[in-house]
Structures are given as structure tokens and as C-alpha cells.
Amino acid sequence: RITILPHGSLRILNASKSDEGRYLCQGVNVFGSAEIIASISVKEPTRIELTPKKIELTVGESIVLSCKALHDSTLDVTFYWTLNGQPIDFEKEGGHFESIKAQASSADLMIRNILLMHAGRYGCRVQTAADTVSDETELLVRGPPGPPGVVIVEEITDTTATLSWSPGADNHSPISLYNLQARSPFSLGWQTVRTVPDLISGDMESAMAVELNPWVEYEFRVVAMNKIGTGDPSAPSRVIRTNEAVPKTPPANVSGRSGRRHELVIAWEPVSEEFQSGEGFGYIVAFRPNGTRGWKEKMVTSSDASKFIYRDESVPPLTPFEVKVGVYNNKGDGPFSPIVVICSAEGEPTAAPIDVKATSLSVSEILVAWKHIKESLGRPQGFEVGYWKDMEKEEAAEKVKTEGNESSILLTGLEGNTLYHLTVRAYNAAGYGPPSTAVHAATKKSPPSQAPGNIMWIQDGSHVSLGWEPVRPLANESDVMGYKVLFRQEGQSNSQVIETQKTSAVVLLPDVGVYIIEVCAVSEGGDGTASPQIRVPSFSGGKVTSAQSTLHVLSTSSSSVTLLLALMVPSTS
């Protein structure tokens, strides 16, 4: 058990506590001797237990690996965790790993929200000053399948594509089904397609996509599934185009539209390129008067067309027609839409409005009114009023429209003291009817530019008596018809109005406060320029008498006057 080796070393096998002590090694030759003393301490061997020993988990689950050490009590221990022989970097693993050390002689490894990449051999290494021991456990992670291999398009027809692929990793859960998906320029992303067989089992590596649209570019991909879930899709196949075929989808919503007299306007929703099935796509428009036998057919060669207009001077307005619209391409003629009955256009209005009247309301407004003769054909959708100045030509007329059965319109923004000519005509989708005979109206002259001058007033309690000089309008201004006295409490925007044909008025100030008073002339052309503002304080409303009344005069050169009242002394009576 104890041996001195040829080079002088001492070997002790199966050491035990009895081998502890001080060992002397002495060397001797003819010249003398030398010695060294070594002290040996024998410690208990370190043993570890890593649990559990073999684990099978599903993606998304969590696990705690526990590592316990049995070691000499005089020694400190350090724990190290590895994955497939490489140290685990707890800072770079996105929070999936956490080292937990609850006791000095044990350590736990928490693995949260496990991913497929976390599968492998997990090692726990325990190190002391005397020895190093380690143990490993195997973690198997089950998850959805990996992506299948390259998808190959084997054969193409007008509505089918035969595909093959290689299986991807099953990730420890057998593949149960495959899902075949397709994408085209007309789809919203990837869509599951019908296949033969309907269900593609996990042991199959080919299938046929069916019910595809002819002459459409497709890409295909395959997705594998197992009991854990659905895996990532394969890479897309190369882009292929299905073969051409006779179109099978007729236009939808065939209907009539408004047109001019003697026109039959046929409209439809264009067929999407997805359903045109080949090159040379167009429409066949078929129609016949209701109750007749033979169809008249017209070709429309534009695939984007949505309307066809048939014009025949012999067709009376509102004649019913049976109509259908078919499709064709280079491969042949497709089906027609269901037959619908539509009518030829009723035409534009034929009668001009009557009893047209124009009334001048102000310097910038003229009211136009009219009557319209009801027509069985050419019913109006509204009316158009044209107006132009006396010195202008009718071609320069401005126009304004009404909608529905309106029989009047107020023209605004006109020039003052100006003669206007006006016509009215009806219109609908087919066009415009004849205009009425022109009528004439002149806007009013402008209101007086002069403000009432030399305003005088006297205040007696809450009553203010006003007087002013009359306004003399200029030759191009409207005559004065009367006056307006406007008054409001300071700080408010709405004024009260007193109208009079005299050059005087009495104003009752109902509440306490300061009042703003203005005077202006009234004419056919509107209100004239207002006088400068008068500010009048009112200390009380109701029946109040004052000891004195003062006459005040505001000359036209003043812009604003503040009235200071003398002390108001109530009467003793």
C-alpha cells in the first residue's frame, strides 16, 4: 500500500486518516545529508448528486435541476454549470437560466420557458481545494416540428400543382399532418389550399394542390404539425404560373346607367385579373328589346372596361331591354351573367323653366324663383342659374346649381347698383335642358356712407333721449328709409335695436352698467355707416328721477365719448 518509488517519491494508496502526519524524507551521500518534512492531511472525498437524471419537457415548460454536494466539512465548495460542456453565461441567455444557491452545499439551476435550443447535456461541477467532481443529466425538449425541406413543383395544370418536399425535424414528437399553403398576387398573404388527399398525413412527402385559378402565379410552402403544435413553414417554392383555360367567372352586378336620349348604357363590375384565366380577355355584351328573340352582341376588348353604350336614334326613351354580359379569352368564350332588364336613357330635360322672376333684395343679393313643367321623360335632377352683368356676354355668365325640386335660389356676393341678366335651365345625368327666357334685375344702390352727425342726448334716470342730423345720401347711394338705434351693455356682443323714421328716439336702459349706443341710417341697400359710439352709465333701472338733467352733444368729429353723470339724488316726493 505504501511504496518508495525508484526516483525517491513516496506513494500511498487508499489513503486513510491513519496516514495523516509529518513525513521526513532524507537524502545521504559521501558528502553529507539533506532532509525535508511534509505534512499530510487526509480529507473525506467529495461526492455529488444531480437530479433529475433524465428529463423530457415540452417547449414553454420550466424545470429546476438540483445539485447537492457531500464534502469534507473543513473545505469550501464552488459550483459550476455547463451545457454540452460549455459554461452557461447567465447574463446572455435572455432570462431563461438562473443559478440559485440556497445552502452552502447545494445549488439549483432554474430553466424558464424552455426552447428547443435548450436541449442537451447539463453538467454540474463541484470544486474544492482537495478535489473536483462532476455529474451530468440529459434534457430532451419536445416541440412543434421544424420546417420541411425544399418544396418542389413537380407538375402544373390550369387548376392543379403537384408538390413534393422532404420532412424536417420532428423534435421528439412524431409529425401527424402537413398543411399546404399558397400565395398569389391576389391573396392576402399565405392561404391554406385544397389538396388531394384532403388530409396529408405525417408520413407523406407529396400532395396535389387543387382548385387553383388558371393563369395565376403561385408560390407554395408546407407546414408540419404534431401533437405539440404547428411548426415553422418551409421556404417558399419557386414561382409558377398555372396554365390558361376558358374563363368561368362572368361579370357581377350588371345594371343600367343614365345616358343621353336614344342611348342604352350597360354597366358591370369588371372581372378581376385573378379570374380572367388567360390572355386576350374581354367581354361580350348581349342585349335585345324586351319580348324579342334575337340577341345583338358587341365585343368589348378591354379587360378593364366596366360600361358599354349602345346608341340608336330609333330607340324611344325608357325602352326596356334584356341584357347579359359574357366573358372570353384566347382559349374561348366563357359564361354569361344572369339576364337583367334595364331601360334606355330617358334623355335630358326638354322643357325650359317658366315664370322666372328675379327680385333684388340688397346691394349684393338677388332672389331668383321659377316654375318647372312636369315631364314624363327627361326628369330634372336640379336646376342651373346663369347670371351675367349688363355689359358682359352671356358666355361669361357665372353659374350656380340647385339639387332636387328646389324652385328658388338666393344669389349672393353681387356688385351693388348693377344690372344683371339671368336664365334658368334644368339638368339631369343625360345633360342640360333649354334655358328660360332671360330676366333682369338690378342690385340695390350701396347704403349711405355718411353716419348720422351731431348726435345730442339727454339722460333722465334710465331714459336717454337722442337726436341727430339727417343723413344725406350721395347720388350713387340708396335713399334713407329710416334709422336704427343700437344699444348694448358693455362687454356683451348682442345689441338691442330700435327702428324709427324720425331723427330722434328714446332709449330705456333697463339694468345697471355702462351702455354703448350707436345710430345708423337704413336704406334699400342695407344699413349705412354707424355713428361713433356713445358710452352712457346707468346707475339704476326702473323709476328713478334725477335732480338735474344735462344736454350732451357728440359732434361727428368725435370717435367716442364717455358720459360722466352728476350725482343722482332721489326725489323726496
Side-chain angles (χ1 to χ4, degrees):
R1 193 176 71 86
I2 300 176
T3 306
I4 298 176
L5 300 178
H7 56 273
S9 295
L10 181 67
R11 183 176 68 188
I12 303 174
L13 298 177
N14 195 19
S16 66
K17 285 288 186 181
S18 62
D19 295 319
E20 289 186 328
R22 292 163 53 122
Y23 287 77
L24 173 66
C25 175
Q26 188 178 49
V28 180
N29 62 16
V30 295
F31 299 104
S33 64
E35 61 183 31
I36 188 172
I37 296 175
S39 295
I40 295 180
S41 297
V42 179
K43 303 296 184 180
E44 292 294 331
T46 302
R47 297 188 301 276
I48 65 171
E49 180 182 6
L50 179 58
T51 57
K53 277 300 180 186
K54 187 172 178 63
I55 317 120
E56 293 187 8
L57 295 176
T58 300
V59 168
E61 295 181 337
S62 300
I63 187 67
V64 175
L65 304 182
S66 181
C67 186
K68 296 181 180 179
L70 300 175
H71 60 93
D72 192 290
S73 60
T74 63
L75 298 175
D76 293 330
V77 294
T78 304
F79 292 86
Y80 300 93
W81 290 99
T82 62
L83 172 57
N84 295 325
Q86 299 299 316
I88 295 176
D89 188 341
F90 292 94
E91 299 296 327
K92 295 182 179 180
E93 291 296 337
H96 290 284
F97 295 100
E98 181 182 357
S99 178
I100 304 171
K101 190 172 183 180
Q103 300 176 359
S105 58
S106 68
D108 293 338
L109 176 64
M110 165 71 80
I111 313 174
R112 296 186 179 90
N113 193 21
I114 285 176
L115 305 176
L116 288 172
M117 62 184 293
H118 296 148
R121 293 176 292 104
Y122 284 83
C124 176
R125 188 175 86 250
V126 177
Q127 186 172 331
T128 70
D131 58 359
T132 299
V133 293
S134 62
D135 196 8
E136 286 188 341
T137 186
E138 185 80 15
L139 174 59
L140 184 147
V141 181
R142 296 185 301 267
V150 177
V151 178
I152 299 173
V153 182
E154 305 280 0
E155 185 180 354
I156 305 167
T157 70
D158 57 344
T159 59
T160 67
T162 303
L163 311 170
S164 64
W165 61 91
S166 57
D170 65 4
N171 291 326
H172 309 292
S173 178
I175 296 172
S176 55
L177 288 173
Y178 285 104
N179 176 254
L180 190 57
Q181 299 177 346
R183 178 173 65 182
S184 76
F186 311 104
S187 64
L188 296 175
W190 291 94
Q191 305 289 328
T192 298
V193 295
R194 293 285 304 275
T195 59
V196 174
D198 286 339
L199 294 178
I200 307 173
S201 61
D203 58 351
M204 297 182 66
E205 297 181 16
S206 67
M208 178 185 292
V210 298
E211 298 182 8
L212 305 176
N213 291 321
W215 199 240
V216 171
E217 291 183 339
Y218 285 98
E219 293 176 280
F220 298 95
R221 71 181 187 183
V222 179
V223 180
M225 292 172 280
N226 59 17
K227 66 179 182 180
I228 306 300
T230 301
D232 292 330
S234 68
S237 70
R238 64 182 176 89
V239 178
I240 62 98
R241 183 187 283 274
T242 49
N243 298 335
E244 291 183 280
V246 174
K248 295 182 179 179
T249 304
N253 296 327
V254 177
S255 61
R257 291 288 187 271
S258 298
R260 296 187 175 277
R261 192 177 298 274
H262 308 302
E263 287 183 349
L264 175 65
V265 182
I266 303 167
W268 61 87
E269 287 185 11
V271 175
S272 166
E273 185 181 349
E274 182 180 7
F275 303 107
Q276 292 178 7
S277 302
E279 293 184 316
F281 183 85
Y283 300 95
I284 304 171
V285 181
F287 51 94
R288 64 186 179 189
N290 205 1
T292 61
R293 302 190 60 172
W295 290 94
K296 186 184 291 290
E297 292 187 353
K298 297 292 183 180
M299 306 288 285
V300 179
T301 58
S302 171
S303 60
D304 298 327
S306 61
K307 183 171 68 173
F308 173 76
I309 300 176
Y310 172 70
R311 181 171 181 81
D312 186 342
E313 296 291 339
S314 65
V315 175
L318 299 179
T319 300
F321 280 81
E322 290 182 311
V323 174
K324 59 183 180 179
V325 182
V327 290
Y328 72 91
N329 63 16
N330 290 346
K331 284 290 184 177
D333 295 347
F336 278 91
S337 65
I339 296 173
V340 297
V341 176
I342 64 176
C343 292
S344 60
E346 61 178 344
E348 63 277 4
T350 58
I354 60 173
D355 291 341
V356 179
K357 295 178 180 179
T359 305
S360 177
L361 299 184
S362 71
V363 67
S364 62
E365 297 174 324
I366 293 178
L367 177 65
V368 184
W370 61 86
K371 294 180 182 179
H372 183 69
I373 301 173
K374 291 186 177 180
E375 301 177 69
S376 59
L377 301 174
R379 291 164 293 186
Q381 295 176 349
F383 296 88
E384 180 187 80
V385 177
Y387 58 97
W388 63 98
K389 299 175 187 177
D390 186 44
M391 301 302 293
E392 296 176 342
K393 294 184 178 180
E394 184 175 355
E395 290 74 14
E398 296 189 52
K399 297 178 175 61
V400 61
K401 285 184 177 181
T402 69
E403 294 185 359
N405 294 322
E406 296 290 335
S407 59
S408 65
I409 188 172
L410 180 64
L411 303 180
T412 60
L414 306 177
E415 290 188 15
N417 195 24
T418 301
L419 177 64
Y420 282 89
H421 304 281
L422 308 100
T423 60
V424 183
R425 61 177 178 172
Y427 71 89
N428 60 17
Y432 292 90
S436 66
T437 302
V439 295
H440 321 285
T443 51
K444 305 292 186 183
K445 293 181 180 180
S446 300
S449 57
Q450 177 190 351
N454 295 327
I455 298 178
M456 298 173 289
W457 74 93
I458 186 169
Q459 183 173 9
D460 185 7
S462 58
H463 291 78
V464 177
S465 298
L466 296 152
W468 55 88
E469 290 183 354
V471 172
R472 308 295 183 191
L474 302 176
N476 61 344
E477 295 177 342
S478 298
D479 293 335
V480 175
M481 300 168 60
Y483 297 90
K484 286 183 180 179
V485 179
L486 299 91
F487 62 99
R488 58 181 170 83
Q489 210 164 11
E490 192 171 48
Q492 296 183 357
S493 57
N494 295 329
S495 295
Q496 299 183 54
V497 179
I498 296 174
E499 294 190 10
T500 178
Q501 293 182 342
K502 303 178 181 179
T503 56
S504 62
V506 177
V507 178
L508 174 64
L509 307 181
D511 298 313
V512 174
V514 176
Y515 281 82
I516 307 298
I517 302 176
E518 297 174 289
V519 182
C520 68
V522 178
S523 71
E524 279 190 339
D527 293 345
T529 303
S531 68
Q533 294 180 349
I534 304 168
R535 300 179 72 251
V536 180
S538 175
F539 295 105
S540 63
K543 296 180 179 179
V544 176
T545 60
S546 62
Q548 59 182 8
S549 299
T550 305
L551 177 65
H552 303 268
V553 178
L554 174 63
S555 68
T556 54
S557 61
S558 301
S559 60
S560 178
V561 170
T562 301
L563 179 64
L564 300 176
L565 288 183
L567 176 65
M568 304 298 291
V569 181
S571 66
T572 57
S573 58

